[in-house]
Amino acid sequence: MGWRFQLKRTRMLWDLGLLLPALVFGGLLHPELTGELDDCFCDVESIDVFNNFKVFPRIKKLTEKDYFRYYRVNLKRPCPFWPDDGHCSIKDCHVEPCPESKIPVGIKSGNYNKYSQVANLMADMTECEQANELGAINSTLSNQSKEAFADWARHDDAQDHFCELDDETSPDAEYVDLLLNPERYTGYKGPPAWRVWNSIYEENCFKPRSVYRPLNPLAPSRGDDNGEGFYKWLEGLCLEKRVFYRLISGLHSSINIHLCGDHLLDEGWGRSVWGPDLQEFRRRFDMGETKGEGTRRLKNLYFLFLIELRALYKVVPYFERAIVGLYTGNSREDRATKELLLELLSEIKAFPMHFDEKSMFAGHKMEAKTLKEEFRLHFKNISRIMDCVGCSKCRLWGKLQIQGLGTALKILFSEKEIQKLPEHSPSKGFQLTRQEIVALINAFGR
């Protein structure tokens, strides 16, 4: 099949909503992408079928719900590692914050409503009545509930997060409507963008300086070995460090595929045309143009999918509790959102080929603990690098997806705490903030 016909077919499927932005775009246009994945007992074809028919239709509906479409983020934090390049002046880099009047009242109210028993009593109030009542919730809670919330807040502050979290109370933190600020190609590229990825790969992926990778991570390795020297080193790493690299590579692939899938094709008189760009996809993932690395990059995307899928499987008991509501202030909408989430989680539970994380950090207790902490700190450092991204829209989606993956890792390393969750009261052992839940679902949706 000629690539021009393939591109026309791709655009038709995309317009019909039948082409999924990441996994299908990769599989449809990359015939070498097939067979088993490394480090797990699963294959590309099984993931494709499961994602296309079970996951994607539900996750798409879920991310359109009010609870998941509004994300609070600080896009003005300075880069902690090098002098700020200044924000991208390209108009498509701009992020439009959401006016306060558009944010559902239950989301604006903050963290008192993570557990929605009190909030659900207010379902039939007017918006103004809700706003007044929400401000008084803290004074109307029972002493027992106040103590539980206080314990929960203290534990939440003390948890070992995998990400450098934004201060949601900062005056620079704003709500963003993710549906109105989609992840797409913005024109942000070149040395400023390469420096971000270079810092991530060179300084945080457990790679010795003696193993060369180019400044531009899209470029193939130098030399005549088609990068095999690098991959021999990678395969020689312990499982945990290899998983770390594959997660970052998979995230990089996901971001690149979305830029290819929603690329600026034409900029006419006041009207921009966006759509899938096959040539850009080939440049980043074609076997010939990447000296064989394209398939590896895409398989790492599938690996990332499996890791986040596994985290959602592990966190099912947290969301199955009646006390956990996805509160926006609209009781009918909130019930429908919770039902849709549980429906998605039910499908995920039925998937037969989950990644088995029990083989990670399973060696000597002290060595495993040290490695786990090193793993966490490296990932946390990458979350700080996101504040060095010069394009506001790229920074938004980078921060969200890093927080989503960090939340997935937090879940995978909290299995015992999740198993001990009480049914009818807040837990001191494991919590997810609304920001973490929104980031987790949207990152998986990506």
Side-chain angles (χ1 to χ4, degrees):
M1 181 182 297
W3 72 265
R4 293 183 185 277
F5 178 76
Q6 185 79 320
L7 177 59
K8 184 176 180 181
R9 178 171 176 260
T10 300
R11 286 177 179 162
M12 178 185 72
L13 291 170
W14 193 280
D15 291 340
L16 291 173
L18 299 176
L19 180 63
L20 313 192
L23 297 182
V24 170
F25 196 51
L28 179 66
L29 302 181
H30 206 285
E32 297 90 351
L33 188 63
T34 184
E36 291 187 2
L37 300 173
D38 297 329
D39 295 322
C40 53
F41 300 100
C42 194
D43 59 85
V44 167
E45 291 77 11
S46 297
I47 296 175
D48 278 340
V49 171
F50 177 67
N51 178 66
N52 299 347
F53 296 101
K54 300 292 186 180
V55 171
F56 183 75
R58 292 174 174 86
I59 200 79
K60 186 173 185 296
K61 289 180 183 178
L62 201 57
T63 53
E64 291 170 354
K65 295 289 187 180
D66 280 355
Y67 186 88
F68 292 105
R69 68 184 288 182
Y70 297 105
Y71 181 65
R72 191 164 176 83
V73 64
N74 182 354
L75 298 175
K76 298 177 183 178
R77 286 175 54 165
C79 173
F81 300 110
W82 56 76
D84 203 326
D85 293 323
H87 284 266
C88 178
S89 59
I90 303 171
K91 64 181 178 65
D92 293 313
C93 286
H94 178 67
V95 169
E96 190 65 41
C98 195
E100 284 287 318
S101 60
K102 298 289 186 181
I103 307 297
V105 64
I107 293 176
K108 282 191 293 188
S109 65
N111 289 334
Y112 287 124
N113 292 288
K114 290 177 185 175
Y115 293 96
S116 58
Q117 288 178 324
V118 176
N120 286 340
L121 298 176
M122 302 158 57
D124 298 323
M125 294 183 181
T126 67
E127 186 169 315
C128 290
E129 288 173 330
Q130 283 181 346
N132 291 333
E133 192 70 21
L134 285 167
I137 282 180
N138 196 33
S139 62
T140 59
L141 291 171
S142 69
N143 288 333
Q144 182 181 6
S145 295
K146 285 181 182 178
E147 289 173 7
F149 277 118
D151 283 342
W152 166 50
R154 280 194 296 272
H155 176 79
D156 199 44
D157 290 339
Q159 283 194 84
D160 287 335
H161 292 285
F162 280 79
C163 293
E164 186 80 18
L165 302 177
D166 281 349
D167 178 7
E168 294 184 52
T169 64
S170 167
D172 290 330
E174 297 179 293
Y175 282 103
V176 173
D177 185 336
L178 298 173
L179 298 183
L180 298 182
N181 294 275
E183 183 184 23
R184 57 169 43 156
Y185 177 78
T186 65
Y188 177 66
K189 58 185 178 180
W194 299 341
R195 178 158 61 170
V196 169
W197 284 113
N198 190 55
S199 179
I200 289 172
Y201 283 113
E202 291 291 313
E203 299 168 18
N204 293 280
C205 284
F206 301 99
K207 187 186 75 60
R209 292 286 182 181
S210 59
V211 179
Y212 175 78
R213 291 294 278 168
L215 174 64
N216 176 1
L218 290 179
S221 301
R222 290 176 186 167
D224 298 324
D225 66 350
N226 291 335
E228 289 306 317
F230 173 80
Y231 287 101
K232 285 178 182 175
W233 160 81
L234 182 64
E235 293 307 312
L237 283 178
C238 67
L239 173 64
E240 293 82 0
K241 293 182 179 181
R242 194 163 64 244
V243 163
F244 190 99
Y245 173 84
R246 297 192 69 194
L247 290 176
I248 299 304
S249 173
L251 179 60
H252 193 185
S253 296
S254 176
I255 291 171
N256 278 328
I257 289 174
H258 281 94
L259 303 189
C260 298
D262 207 0
H263 208 271
L264 183 59
L265 303 177
D266 185 41
E267 194 168 16
W269 293 93
R271 181 176 178 270
S272 299
V273 178
W274 303 84
D277 187 328
L278 176 61
Q279 288 178 311
E280 186 64 25
F281 178 83
R282 287 167 61 92
R283 186 175 77 83
R284 296 169 187 258
F285 296 102
D286 180 82
M287 287 286 285
E289 297 199 30
T290 62
K291 289 192 175 181
E293 287 194 30
T295 301
R296 286 189 174 105
R297 294 170 181 172
L298 291 171
K299 282 195 171 184
N300 288 339
L301 167 67
Y302 281 74
F303 185 76
L304 171 68
F305 178 89
L306 281 178
I307 291 291
E308 295 190 353
L309 186 78
R310 181 62 168 177
L312 287 168
Y313 169 84
K314 289 288 185 179
V315 84
V316 168
Y318 179 86
F319 287 110
E320 284 182 333
R321 296 178 302 156
I323 191 174
V324 175
L326 306 177
Y327 182 68
T328 67
N330 181 332
S331 59
R332 181 178 297 177
E333 171 83 2
D334 296 345
R335 283 194 298 272
T337 303
K338 178 76 179 284
E339 288 172 5
L340 185 57
L341 175 62
L342 292 179
E343 184 181 310
L344 171 66
L345 295 177
S346 176
E347 293 289 353
I348 289 172
K349 284 175 67 176
F351 184 66
M353 289 178 281
H354 279 281
F355 176 79
D356 183 8
E357 75 288 350
K358 288 187 174 63
S359 56
M360 294 178 65
F361 307 106
H364 186 273
K365 192 171 184 180
M366 283 305 297
E367 290 178 2
K369 185 177 180 180
T370 301
L371 180 59
K372 188 174 179 180
E373 178 63 6
E374 192 178 3
F375 191 102
R376 185 185 72 83
L377 291 177
H378 275 243
F379 194 88
K380 193 169 186 177
N381 209 43
I382 290 175
S383 75
R384 298 176 70 206
I385 295 173
M386 291 299 104
D387 286 319
C388 299
V389 177
C391 164
S392 293
K393 188 169 287 183
C394 307
R395 182 182 293 205
L396 163 68
W397 285 101
K399 286 169 77 80
L400 181 142
Q401 290 175 83
I402 284 291
Q403 186 176 21
L405 177 53
T407 303
L409 294 173
K410 171 182 168 179
I411 291 166
L412 290 179
F413 298 149
S414 302
E415 182 174 14
K416 292 180 181 177
E417 290 81 2
I418 294 173
Q419 290 174 347
K420 296 176 182 176
L421 288 170
E423 176 62 33
H424 300 294
S425 63
S427 165
K428 300 177 186 179
F430 177 83
Q431 287 298 337
L432 292 177
T433 67
R434 179 184 171 274
Q435 285 289 97
E436 288 175 316
I437 295 170
V438 171
L440 175 66
I441 294 299
N442 275 283
F444 184 63
R446 294 281 86 200

